[in-house]
Amino acid sequence: MSTQRLRNEDFHDYSSTDVSPEETPSEGLGNFSPGSYQRLGESNSTTWFQTLIHLLKGNIGTGLLGLPLAVKNAGLLLGPLSLLVIGIVAVHCMGILVKCARHLCHRLNKPFLDYGDTVMYGLECSPSAWVRSHSHWGRRIVDFFLIVTQLGFCCVYFVFLADNFKQVIEAANGTTTDCHNNETVVLMPTMDSRLYMLAFLPFLALLTFIRNLRILSIFSLLANVSMLVSLVTIYQFIVQSIPDPSHLPLVAPWKTYPLFFGTAIFAFEGIGVVLPLENKMKDSQKFPFILYFGMAIITALYISLGSLGYLQFGANIKGSITLNLPNCWLYQSVKLLYSIGIFFTYALQFYVAAEIIIPVIDSRVPEPYKMMVDLCVRTAMVCITCVLAVLIPRLDLVISLVGSVSSSALALIIPPLLEVTTYYSEGMSPLTIIKDVLISILGFVGFVVGTYESLCELIQPSHGEISTNSTSAFL
């Protein structure tokens, strides 16, 4: 799932974040007007290459680092094959969303629709009078899952930061410049990882007080550079001296497969980025090709890192592959560098949820108190994500739970149903309806089973998984 997202500058699409508008978020909401949209080919349009870069940025985040453990939960053969299938289905659902949005824009004579409005207007096309009368719930459901997804990302960031900083500090005395000597490192015990989360809390709260996306875009650039350098270094290590994989299972026990599904769909949940990108592209007719080409690169990246990471570390793979890197200053700096990128990305992911929740609260507050209430609500939201991270301190389970609960709904369940409601009255082939129903059922089954298994693993960890996310040093 994605950590930086392109946001349409004129239409406030809460499913995307990576852009720098002239006004602050609160000012933008005040100036909102359906007639002010900039449609395809107009000002601030992006080239095909810029669109491709934004698509890649919007889909690469912390979920990528958890994929080696996901492959372990599925098996060395079944894991990569399942990633390929989920990637194909997720990209197909992205294409469905773009197609439905274009169709509804043309029918309603609107220049642009975001994810929530596309679902709302799609429900208005339903042959059922009851569904049409409750179409506004489509927007609310999408907003709800966006809030859960974005705050879930923020919970993941708390756990990621705590685990990586804890490991670096505990192994500081044994850190060397020799990255090829696999000696056991005796850790210097420090405080619990939950205390590290609390230590990050005030700094992240202050970061979220920045309400102007133009300023946040600077932090976004720093985050992108940090994570790119870290990712290249990680690849450089895992391709060296891969151990014999004969002892690794081709197919893992079925009980751990739902955990794989949650992590995989968490990584692929970049569907919120596609409509703003399509809207801002100069030549929108090329967007489907850019979408499929970019997602093919992302799917190949996911499969390669997941497979190579599992091959390199085997059963010892942890919730984030950074926690398996050797105890030398080069790879310790990689952990810190990626953590810096995640730290700044927190504000961008938080922005989406804040822009849905805070305007609703501010509208009920007298003008003199709006700023104070705004800051208090932001602080409370950051505290909520911290508390949830403290309650679920295992990185792999947080990722799987967020992916199962919200990402499956946004990426797999809603788009196929949207296609049915949008086109059913105009005539659809039975095969298309069956295909859409099967995809939605797949997403719903993953939602239920993945959530259930994540909660069961959280309540009663299985033997051998308790230390999956421990921060012991690399041997």
Side-chain angles (χ1 to χ4, degrees), residues 20-91:
S20 304
E22 297 294 337
E23 68 281 341
T24 63
S26 57
E27 291 168 342
L29 287 169
N31 295 332
F32 170 77
S33 171
S36 66
Y37 302 173
Q38 294 290 342
R39 188 49 186 158
L40 308 169
E42 298 184 10
S43 63
N44 299 317
S45 296
T46 57
T47 65
W48 68 269
F49 183 74
Q50 291 171 325
T51 303
L52 177 62
I53 295 300
H54 283 304
L55 180 66
L56 295 176
K57 287 198 309 180
N59 282 273
I60 296 176
T62 51
L64 172 66
L65 302 180
L67 288 176
L69 180 60
V71 172
K72 174 190 173 184
N73 288 329
L76 187 57
L77 176 61
L78 184 59
L81 290 178
S82 298
L83 279 175
L84 178 61
V85 172
I86 291 177
I88 293 173
V89 174
V91 175

Side-chain angles (χ1 to χ4, degrees), residues 279-473:
N279 179 56
K280 292 183 68 63
M281 189 172 176
K282 184 178 298 183
D283 185 1
S284 64
Q285 299 304 316
K286 295 180 180 178
F287 182 76
F289 172 78
I290 298 299
L291 174 64
Y292 295 127
F293 178 69
M295 292 306 298
I297 295 175
I298 291 166
T299 303
L301 179 67
Y302 286 179
I303 294 174
S304 62
L305 185 68
S307 303
L308 290 172
Y310 182 42
L311 285 171
Q312 180 65 243
F313 300 112
N316 296 320
I317 189 67
K318 295 178 172 54
S320 169
I321 193 174
T322 56
L323 299 174
N324 286 94
L325 294 177
N327 190 55
C328 69
W329 282 114
L330 172 62
Y331 296 109
Q332 296 292 66
S333 65
V334 167
K335 300 171 191 176
L336 295 176
L337 200 59
Y338 210 100
S339 297
I340 291 172
I342 291 299
F343 178 86
F344 289 126
T345 304
Y346 182 99
L348 291 166
Q349 299 296 346
F350 180 89
Y351 181 91
V352 178
E355 283 301 285
I356 298 175
I357 296 173
I358 293 178
V360 177
I361 298 175
D362 275 357
S363 64
R364 294 167 170 79
V365 176
E367 186 64 34
Y369 302 102
K370 284 187 182 292
M371 177 62 73
M372 182 181 68
V373 171
D374 183 294
L375 298 180
C376 289
V377 173
R378 289 173 184 272
T379 303
M381 292 172 63
V382 176
C383 290
I384 289 173
T385 62
C386 181
V387 169
L388 292 174
V390 167
L391 294 175
I392 314 175
R394 278 184 56 183
L395 183 61
D396 56 324
L397 290 185
V398 179
I399 291 176
S400 181
L401 190 60
V402 173
S404 299
V405 171
S406 57
S407 299
S408 58
L410 292 174
L412 297 181
I413 299 176
I414 296 177
L417 297 180
L418 172 64
E419 184 177 32
V420 174
T421 59
T422 301
Y423 290 99
Y424 187 81
S425 59
E426 301 178 13
M428 294 181 65
S429 69
L431 289 179
T432 302
I433 296 176
I434 293 174
K435 178 263 298 180
D436 288 339
V437 170
L438 289 177
I439 293 176
S440 291
I441 291 175
L442 170 66
F444 183 75
V445 171
F447 167 83
V448 173
V449 180
T451 302
Y452 174 78
E453 287 297 333
S454 297
L455 292 175
C456 287
E457 184 66 25
L458 174 66
I459 296 171
Q460 189 175 7
S462 60
H463 178 71
E465 292 293 334
I466 298 177
S467 62
T468 295
N469 199 35
S470 65
T471 54
S472 58

